[in-house]
Amino acid sequence: MSQKPPYKVADIGLAEWGRKALTLAENEMPGLMMMRRVYGPQKPLRGARIAGCLHMTIQTGVLIETLLELGAEVQWSSCNIFSTQDHAAAAIAKRGVAVYAWKGETDEEYIWCIEQSLVFPNGEPLNMILDDGGDLTNLVHTKYQQYLPCKPMCCHSVVLSAITGISEETTTGVHNLYKLMTKGLLKAPAFNVNDSVTKSKFDNLYGCRESLVDGIKRATDIMLAGKVAVVAGYGDVGKGCATALRAFGARVLVTEIDPINALQASMEGFEVTTMEAACKEARIFVTATGCRDIIRGDHFSQMLEDAIVCNIGHFDIEIDVKWLEDNAAAKDTIKPQVDRFTLKDGRHIILLAEGRLVNLGCAMGHPSFVMSNSFTNQVLAQIELWSKKGTYKIGVHMLPKKLDEEVATAHLEHLGVKMTRLTAAQSEYLGIPLEGPYKPDHYRY
Amino acid sequence: MGVQLVNSHLTNKANDSNDLVELAQQIQMADTFVHATAKNKLTAIAEQIKALQEQAKNVLEEARLNSDLHHAACNMVKKPGAIYYLYKRPSGQKYLSLLSPQEWGSSCPHTFIGGYRLEVDQSWTPVENISEKDNESELMDKILHSGLALTNT
């Protein structure tokens, strides 16, 4: 039997630096700080044993400390082998949280880390999941089914300690939840945090708008102005990426499969074309589709010298890295997470973060402020699931719009926003309550 | 004639018929001594050479191990003072991990080769030699410290 270490991080000596960064981030995360003020005294998460699997960054550190302040016990792993910020992990480990994450895990170590977060020190298993991308959810649904609730008829003792709910952070993980649901495999109620407006319309869009270029610049110091860049996928993430690249003066091409998104891109002034056409003229390639096999061998063979290829979708299957590994004549690591492949005809391809999330692999991920929006939704979802145990059926749920609006409100003061209020007459004219919610559920923002 | 003060016969043995033999014996003895001394000195040098050879071999082996460890696949920023564990994949690739075989338990996916601590000078100390190395460096620290104290006063 393996002995479980109290935590596993790259260097606990970085804790002090991590703590300073956490302090800085707190001021930039007004939503989470509001949760601490409002819910801290009531401890609505008392008794919750949350296993979290989400990029172990400074922002996540503020999330973890918020969950603790709300009464939860927390154990953590990162949902990506490159995304951990070692100083953040160290600071969180130092304050006594069982965190298993370091930048540069192997695939096997990655699973080991998630497995360490399942059972708490008193021997009791997790009873809440906070997930990003669905790896933890899937691991529990396949290898550790004993922690899931069984049918109401049988063994009540197991039901009591079983997993009460799941909250999922990102598009890919939500997609996975719906897939599990359709197949009848989902065993606990889940919250789709991703599709809260204050999550996907902010973190995915404005987050990527700042962190994509940060990643490319830190990795390569390339001049973007005048270059041709291609963004595969024009969802929220793709929109942010395309806008950012254009703001630097790049000429941006977009590839899309959905006619609506293609039309949006086109009307924003982006040329929509195929990867087959784009691969011959672009210098910078960004995949943001959430799909697989977007940039393949036949594309690599036609790219310009030293084309930069990176991905900002959740999983590493958008770029066919294996083709590069198998077909390149040589691979030179310029620095960690920046590899230059020499193709057999002598041309080169620069691959960032091995085709995994470039903003987290090569830069520091999204800024705190936008993550505060996302994580406040996570905290609200955890409170909903835990404090209303048993009221949510197995399925994928969303936070009510009223809470979405509250998340947004929590972030206004920090930006000095001055709000206009409805008058009674206006409220009556529109048929909208004075205190909101201001939009119907089907409104798309 | 005056008084004879010294018996020259007794004080000068030059004419002794045994003198030559004694001289030869002395020379022979001296030869043996010289030979023995030279041999002793040579032995000491030979021993030193042997020790140096051994030391050189150790240094080379250590250098090879250090270089091997630095060239093993590793995605982490290596930090002096930390212990890393070397594993070998079925493909033959060796890589460094933060996880010990005990932490892996039965789920250990690859062959364990050894645990090593990275030192400040970028050398590696096998885990089994860590306490020895620590004692040694503590001693050196003391010497260094007392040396400093001397120059300061």
Side-chain angles (χ1 to χ4, degrees):
Chain A
M1 190 57 205
S2 57
Q3 58 189 73
K4 179 178 134 135
Y7 61 82
K8 199 81 195 175
V9 300
D11 178 9
I12 194 72
L14 300 173
E16 204 179 321
W17 173 32
R19 178 52 56 192
K20 287 176 186 162
L22 281 168
T23 310
L24 272 189
E26 282 175 0
N27 190 42
E28 275 288 304
M29 302 190 83
L32 286 180
M33 299 316 278
M34 182 200 73
M35 298 308 283
R36 293 188 193 180
R37 274 196 309 278
V38 174
Y39 294 102
Q42 308 159 25
K43 308 267 180 249
L45 291 176
R46 185 178 286 129
R49 291 185 298 275
I50 303 173
C53 179
L54 198 155
H55 312 289
M56 185 56 245
T57 60
I58 287 293
Q59 292 73 34
T60 303
V62 181
L63 166 65
I64 291 172
E65 297 199 323
T66 305
L67 294 170
L68 292 173
E69 198 146 328
L70 267 53
E73 281 179 77
V74 179
Q75 297 195 140
W76 217 265
S77 62
S78 196
C79 65
N80 182 298
I81 63 170
F82 289 144
S83 65
T84 298
Q85 292 166 2
D86 288 328
H87 63 320
I92 292 302
K94 186 108 184 186
R95 73 158 286 171
V97 175
V99 47
Y100 306 89
W102 57 93
K103 192 179 183 78
E105 297 161 8
T106 66
D107 290 335
E108 294 85 6
E109 289 165 346
Y110 172 67
I111 301 294
W112 179 89
C113 287
I114 300 181
E115 285 175 339
Q116 303 311 304
S117 71
L118 299 178
V119 179
F120 284 67
N122 55 7
E124 287 183 284
L126 74 171
N127 55 23
M128 292 292 282
I129 290 179
L130 192 158
D131 207 357
D132 184 350
D135 283 339
L136 171 57
T137 303
N138 277 353
L139 190 72
V140 167
H141 275 80
T142 51
K143 205 172 160 191
Y144 295 94
Q145 292 185 347
Q146 68 268 33
Y147 301 144
L148 288 163
C150 48
K151 293 207 178 68
M153 267 75 94
C154 69
C155 47
H156 281 277
S157 56
V158 175
V159 175
L160 281 177
S161 65
I163 291 168
T164 306
I166 302 165
S167 64
E168 169 55 52
E169 170 83 4
T170 201
T171 317
T172 299
V174 167
H175 191 67
N176 176 60
L177 284 175
Y178 283 110
K179 253 174 36 188
L180 284 177
M181 183 64 197
T182 337
K183 288 186 188 159
L185 297 175
L186 188 65
K187 293 284 188 290
F191 259 81
N192 169 358
V193 170
N194 179 68
D195 289 300
S196 289
V197 180
T198 46
K199 199 283 177 182
S200 54
K201 294 287 172 187
F202 287 81
D203 158 350
N204 304 24
L205 179 67
Y206 303 117
C208 294
R209 197 171 73 179
E210 301 203 8
S211 63
L212 168 78
V213 171
D214 191 12
I216 295 176
K217 290 268 188 194
R218 288 196 201 203
T220 65
D221 297 317
I222 190 100
M223 178 94 181
L224 292 170
K227 299 276 163 52
V228 178
V230 52
V231 176
Y234 197 69
D236 291 316
V237 172
K239 287 180 173 85
C241 295
T243 314
L245 290 165
R246 177 157 72 185
F248 275 88
R251 186 158 65 83
V252 181
L253 314 179
V254 167
T255 71
E256 248 305 334
I257 53 151
D258 183 327
I260 298 177
N261 297 71
L263 187 59
Q264 281 182 317
S266 192
M267 295 189 67
E268 282 293 335
F270 297 113
E271 180 185 337
V272 182
T273 182
T274 60
M275 192 55 76
E276 285 67 37
C279 67
K280 293 174 197 139
E281 60 169 324
R283 285 270 175 206
I284 296 147
F285 294 79
V286 180
T287 55
T289 65
C291 187
R292 56 177 306 147
D293 310 329
I294 305 303
I295 298 182
R296 303 179 299 267
D298 46 322
H299 302 131
F300 287 125
S301 334
Q302 299 183 66
M303 285 180 188
L304 297 173
E305 168 66 3
D306 274 335
I308 295 169
V309 181
C310 62
N311 164 55
I312 194 164
H314 186 81
F315 282 125
D316 59 344
I317 52 175
E318 307 207 14
I319 300 169
D320 191 352
V321 177
K322 192 171 177 305
W323 185 93
L324 276 179
E325 297 276 3
D326 293 347
N327 290 281
K331 173 184 173 182
D332 192 13
T333 301
I334 310 285
K335 58 183 172 183
Q337 280 96 58
V338 183
D339 296 308
R340 186 168 184 247
F341 290 88
T342 311
L343 299 184
K344 288 189 179 126
D345 60 3
R347 284 176 312 109
H348 300 90
I349 304 281
I350 299 171
L351 177 70
L352 308 186
E354 295 181 11
R356 297 163 204 263
L357 289 166
V358 66
N359 57 340
L360 283 150
C362 295
M364 298 296 274
H366 291 347
S368 302
F369 187 79
V370 84
M371 292 317 293
S372 177
N373 285 273
S374 307
F375 289 166
T376 307
N377 281 296
Q378 277 284 9
V379 174
L380 286 169
Q382 288 282 325
I383 296 175
E384 269 308 282
L385 284 164
W386 183 248
S387 61
K388 296 182 184 162
K389 222 177 298 183
T391 53
Y392 285 100
K393 288 203 195 74
I394 290 179
V396 186
H397 307 273
M398 301 256 300
L399 285 168
K401 188 164 293 286
K402 188 76 198 115
L403 290 179
D404 222 345
E405 289 177 352
E406 275 177 25
V407 172
T409 305
H411 292 88
L412 294 176
E413 191 192 327
H414 190 67
L415 301 178
V417 169
K418 294 188 180 64
M419 291 290 289
T420 306
R421 294 193 54 80
L422 281 179
T423 64
Q426 287 172 328
S427 152
E428 200 189 325
Y429 171 74
L430 288 172
I432 291 172
L434 272 172
E435 300 302 329
Y438 299 99
K439 299 284 193 297
D441 278 338
H442 59 260
Y443 184 77
R444 292 201 177 87
Y445 294 87
Chain B
M1 299 298 290
V3 182
Q4 188 178 27
L5 292 176
V6 177
N7 184 340
S8 70
H9 178 73
L10 286 176
T11 52
N12 296 304
K13 284 178 173 178
N15 301 328
D16 194 328
S17 59
N18 287 330
D19 278 2
L20 269 179
V21 178
E22 206 171 315
L23 188 66
Q25 268 174 351
Q26 271 177 0
I27 290 172
Q28 198 183 7
M29 201 149 60
D31 267 356
T32 319
F33 273 142
V34 168
H35 190 76
T37 316
K39 214 160 116 185
N40 277 346
K41 282 183 181 162
L42 279 175
T43 313
I45 292 173
E47 265 165 16
Q48 282 176 32
I49 290 176
K50 228 187 269 172
L52 283 173
Q53 265 176 341
E54 195 62 30
Q55 228 174 327
K57 207 173 97 190
N58 284 347
V59 168
L60 287 174
E61 264 173 18
E62 230 171 80
R64 192 178 49 82
L65 176 73
N66 286 342
S67 136
D68 272 3
L69 284 166
H70 279 296
H71 283 106
C74 178
N75 271 323
M76 297 165 289
V77 179
K78 282 168 280 204
K79 166 91 192 166
I83 296 173
Y84 298 91
Y85 300 90
L86 189 68
Y87 293 89
K88 190 173 174 179
R89 291 181 196 275
S91 67
Q93 189 200 34
K94 288 180 190 167
Y95 70 93
L96 286 174
S97 169
L98 279 181
L99 299 182
S100 70
Q102 289 75 36
E103 285 165 341
W104 272 114
S106 54
S107 64
C108 187
H110 301 125
T111 319
F112 174 66
I113 299 176
Y116 305 90
R117 185 176 69 184
L118 181 62
E119 304 295 344
V120 187
D121 60 1
Q122 296 295 307
S123 68
W124 298 87
T125 309
V127 272
E128 54 273 18
N129 301 347
I130 281 181
S131 59
E132 192 187 322
K133 172 98 183 173
D134 283 348
N135 289 341
E136 208 176 283
S137 87
E138 207 176 306
L139 185 69
M140 293 302 152
D141 275 348
K142 262 189 205 153
I143 293 173
L144 198 63
H145 199 253
S146 58
L148 279 178
L150 268 179
T151 51
N152 284 345
T153 47

